[in-house]
Amino acid sequence: MEKEIISSRQFMIITLLFSIGTAILIIPATIAKAAKQDAWIAAIIGVAISFLLVKLYISLGKRTPSLTFIEANEKILGRFLGKFTAIGFILLTFLSSGELLYFIGIFMKTEVMPETPTMAFALLFSIIIVYAAFLGIEVFARSAEILFPFFILIFIVFAVCITPQISFDNVQPILETPKKFLLYSIIRFMSIFSFPLVVLLMLFPSVVNVQKSAQKGFYIGTIIGGIVLIILITLCILVLGPSNTASRTFPSYALAQRISIGNFLQRIEIIMAGMWIASIYIRTFMYFYASVIGVAQLCKIQNHRPLILPLGLLMIGLSQIIHPNIVHSNVYNNEIWPIFSAIFTVILPLTLLIVAKIRKIDGNSQGENSNENQTNNNNHAQQDSENNSHNASEGDSHTESDSKNDAQDENKLELESQKGNKPNENDVKIDQDTNDH
């Protein structure tokens, strides 16, 4: 199969929407339970610390610039241990893709269409994910470019419309939360916001055309996504209050229900659902794509497309059994997910980076060697072209001299023929004498 390539701008947009993901609906309630009115402070600190994780992922990606995260495991840790850690990472991404389908079904059934079973929403949304996986990462990146301006526009309209209902009394007193609960809220925030960014190592830097620009895009996408979540959490605290935010399952959707401008512009909470569907589409696809590509690379399968449909069906079935109810889902996301995800999103990349430094696996030196080889090849090719042109010019000069010689020979032949055709004077006189006689 031909290698698919995306631009650094597309990678930045994917990073931005992927970092938001499900957090746009569930993260305000998650951190407001512990940090209360200081939830916005926990979000700011979490975004700042997330830059260290992005730095870790970029440093690891630069060690193996032409490999995905699955292939980097085998290259750095060896065939046996690398396969073991790769299997754990694939299980993490596949379970997460099934859980996101569960979130889609439970949200639509709870808030939008209560009489429709969750299986219907999971099935319809999985068709989009599977079809996007069949089309490839390039088509997916273009779809992210299309969704990005609509997402930003809707978010700006949402933030402007809800500002008249802000009450600054809801964030007071500031910094009253104990440090223990504040730290716990920061870890929860990062587990949903920045821990999953390791999945982007399946794209970075192996399928990005300009790696330096992609590094900047990694940071820019992370900070813009963090700013969106900080604004959203702050608006939930300012409008709903900390206790009301913590008690609701989807507080940002309840926040959109509060929009009412002149008793005319109201009941537009579906715009929040639109933003969430756009962001969760990006994250669900990346989880599913990482699972499919990971299984294909683990089993040494060149074409990953035959694996898409079977894994897609398994993902639908997993979404129906992964959580029996919303209470189980909340307990899993608050208590189990931060520890489970940290093993493969923080500890594993850090271990890979340390082992790569010990084994002196450096993609920069490999890139320099490849660049030197490429320049040498270009020089050889240039010398060959110059020799060919020189030989061609010599051949042209030879042909010109040959043509001149041929022209001279032809002139000689013509002169000889003219001489041969011109009658001799003695012969003419003899002919005249014979005629007179």
Side-chain angles (χ1 to χ4, degrees), residues 143-205:
S143 67
E145 281 187 303
I146 295 172
L147 292 174
F148 173 68
F150 292 101
F151 179 88
I152 296 298
L153 178 62
I154 293 174
F155 178 76
I156 293 173
V157 172
F158 165 76
V160 170
C161 292
I162 199 63
T163 48
Q165 301 189 30
I166 287 177
S167 176
F168 289 98
D169 294 335
N170 292 326
V171 296
Q172 297 175 359
I174 299 175
L175 293 176
E176 189 186 37
T177 305
K179 295 180 180 179
K180 178 182 177 180
F181 294 105
L182 188 64
L183 179 62
Y184 189 49
S185 299
I186 293 171
I187 295 174
R188 283 182 177 180
F189 176 83
M190 293 181 63
S191 67
I192 300 175
F193 169 67
S194 56
F195 284 6
L197 291 175
V198 70
V199 179
L200 297 178
L201 290 179
M202 297 297 291
L203 303 180
F204 174 85

Side-chain angles (χ1 to χ4, degrees), residues 200-242:
L200 297 178
L201 290 179
M202 297 297 291
L203 303 180
F204 174 85
S206 57
V207 301
V208 184
N209 57 359
V210 182
Q211 295 183 6
K212 289 187 177 180
S213 298
Q215 295 176 20
K216 296 179 182 178
F218 214 149
Y219 285 111
I220 294 172
T222 303
I223 190 172
I224 295 177
I227 290 172
V228 170
L229 293 180
I230 290 170
I231 294 173
L232 184 65
I233 293 169
T234 306
L235 289 175
C236 287
I237 299 298
L238 290 173
V239 175
L240 300 177

Side-chain angles (χ1 to χ4, degrees), residues 358 363 397:
I358 294 173
S397 62

Side-chain angles (χ1 to χ4, degrees), residues 300-375:
K300 307 299 181 183
I301 299 174
Q302 297 295 329
N303 187 5
H304 66 276
R305 285 189 170 87
L307 301 173
I308 294 176
L309 186 59
L311 290 178
L313 295 175
L314 289 175
M315 179 177 63
I316 297 173
L318 181 63
S319 67
Q320 303 302 305
I321 62 174
I322 191 168
H323 295 305
N325 49 52
I326 193 65
V327 177
H328 183 274
S329 174
N330 292 333
V331 172
Y332 172 80
N333 288 315
N334 294 331
E335 299 179 6
I336 299 174
W337 170 255
I339 301 173
F340 176 50
S341 62
I343 296 173
F344 297 100
T345 61
V346 180
I347 298 175
L348 178 59
L350 186 61
T351 305
L352 291 174
L353 184 61
I354 294 172
V355 175
K357 288 184 177 180
I358 294 173
R359 296 184 59 189
K360 296 181 180 180
I361 299 174
D362 191 0
N364 294 327
S365 61
Q366 295 175 0
E368 290 176 358
N369 293 329
S370 62
N371 290 330
E372 290 178 358
N373 294 328
Q374 186 176 3
T375 53

Side-chain angles (χ1 to χ4, degrees), residues 247-263:
S247 62
R248 290 182 177 270
T249 305
F250 307 111
S252 56
Y253 188 78
L255 182 67
Q257 291 177 336
R258 295 288 187 93
I259 295 176
S260 178
I261 299 177
N263 293 325

